[in-house]
Amino acid sequence: MRAPSQGARGRPINAVAPSAGQDWDSERYARNARFVSTLGEDLLALLDARPGERILDLGCGDGVLTAKIAAAGANVLGIDASAAQIAAARRLGVEARTADAQALSFDPEFDAVFSNAALHWMKQPDAVIAGVRRALRPGGRFVAEMGGHGNVGAVRTALGAALARRGIDAGLHDPWYFPTVEDYRGRLQAGGFVVETISDFARPTVLPGAMVDWLETFAGAFLAAVNPNERRAVLAETAAALEPSLKNADGSWWVDYVRLRFHAVKPAGGS
Ligand code: BEZ
């Protein structure tokens, strides 16, 4: 096993545990998922990064938003569970390294922790929140957007049905955590944060390609549970089931995204 890399103050960053079956091919991601960072851009306004601030980008993916935070003059570190995504982020010139956001070991050294479209891959939210709190200086902020309750509900249902027809319980392989506002607010408060704002909203999103491309990019954990000879059929059945609701008259596809967005603060007196 590779030796763990060192944290900002020499403490080890824990070994990485990406979602089982979900691989991040950075070229496929750029082709099928560029909208994720594009739609995340207005979250940067909520972050309001200032020159000289030290900022942690949690689940930085291919680093497109990390680079924008750096362009605002902040000193930003991106972390992600995927080595392929970290390699892509480094190609943009940002400081980035692989790490498990569910086992952060930073000292209180960041002015802000930012996260776009990553927290819903982390099924141990209390561990994430505790690590973020430790990583923040007193008064530091946690600004994030993730999938909210009901996110990609139609897609999840159709995938679940295709797996069930093969005797597979999709719930056992589901890598996603889409909390309600009440759930995540409660966890943030229990974790020692003051929640300044938190809300959810629908964001129906037109895809750059076909539903099958989206499934291949994001639903790898479900597909990995299926016999390789059956995967094409599962993709085709899922897309066929979704066609009446998620395919537009012009042939484009959309996905039923719901976002959960919040701004929470570690109290100034907190350690
Ligand atoms: C999301 O950003 O909401 C999302 C991404 C991948 C899979 C499911 C949801």
Side-chain angles (χ1 to χ4, degrees):
M1 206 170 108
R2 203 159 51 91
S5 53
Q6 294 297 301
R9 293 204 179 153
R11 294 170 65 185
I13 288 178
N14 296 287
V16 176
S19 295
Q22 179 65 47
D23 82 286
W24 293 109
D25 171 331
S26 55
E27 280 171 27
R28 184 169 60 194
Y29 188 84
R31 214 170 38 249
N32 297 315
R34 177 55 51 232
F35 64 87
V36 174
S37 53
T38 305
L39 295 172
E41 280 186 28
D42 61 334
L43 189 63
L44 294 176
L46 190 60
L47 173 66
D48 190 22
R50 280 156 250 154
E53 281 192 318
R54 180 73 170 147
I55 296 183
L56 178 65
D57 183 356
L58 204 72
C60 65
D62 61 8
V64 168
L65 293 181
T66 327
K68 289 186 187 288
I69 296 169
N75 174 1
V76 59
L77 169 66
I79 61 167
D80 201 282
S82 161
Q85 293 284 54
I86 288 298
R90 287 181 177 159
R91 286 196 289 276
L92 295 182
V94 297
E95 183 190 357
R97 60 174 84 130
T98 52
D100 180 358
Q102 300 181 129
L104 295 175
S105 55
F106 293 104
D107 291 326
E109 58 201 88
F110 292 96
D111 298 295
V113 175
F114 172 84
S115 184
N116 179 54
L119 296 175
H120 50 249
W121 295 101
M122 301 171 198
K123 298 191 95 170
Q124 298 171 53
D126 299 329
V128 174
I129 290 167
V132 169
R133 190 178 187 282
R134 276 194 303 274
L136 283 170
R137 295 188 173 125
R141 58 204 190 278
F142 184 16
V143 173
E145 184 177 301
M146 65 190 293
H149 185 65
N151 192 37
V152 300
V155 177
R156 219 182 198 181
T157 301
L159 259 175
L163 265 61
R165 282 191 288 275
R166 289 158 179 85
I168 302 167
D169 179 353
L172 299 177
H173 305 279
D174 190 329
W176 304 328
Y177 164 61
F178 301 134
T180 61
V181 166
E182 293 69 30
D183 176 354
Y184 217 81
R185 183 197 285 120
R187 291 180 191 278
L188 287 165
Q189 289 170 337
F193 281 93
V194 173
V195 180
E196 299 282 336
T197 61
I198 185 164
S199 61
D200 61 3
F201 55 97
R203 183 191 277 153
T205 302
V206 175
L207 300 179
M211 177 56 66
V212 164
D213 300 323
W214 188 95
L215 294 167
E216 286 182 325
T217 305
F218 291 113
F222 294 97
L223 297 173
V226 175
N227 182 316
N229 300 326
E230 285 286 305
R231 285 183 195 152
R232 289 272 129 225
V234 165
L235 287 167
E237 281 171 35
T238 305
L242 292 169
E243 197 167 324
S245 53
L246 299 186
K247 194 169 185 184
N248 295 315
D250 65 2
S252 62
W253 286 86
W254 64 281
V255 170
D256 49 339
Y257 280 111
V258 175
R259 313 321 286 166
L260 174 67
R261 184 179 273 203
F262 63 85
H263 172 195
V265 173
K266 174 174 171 172
S271 54

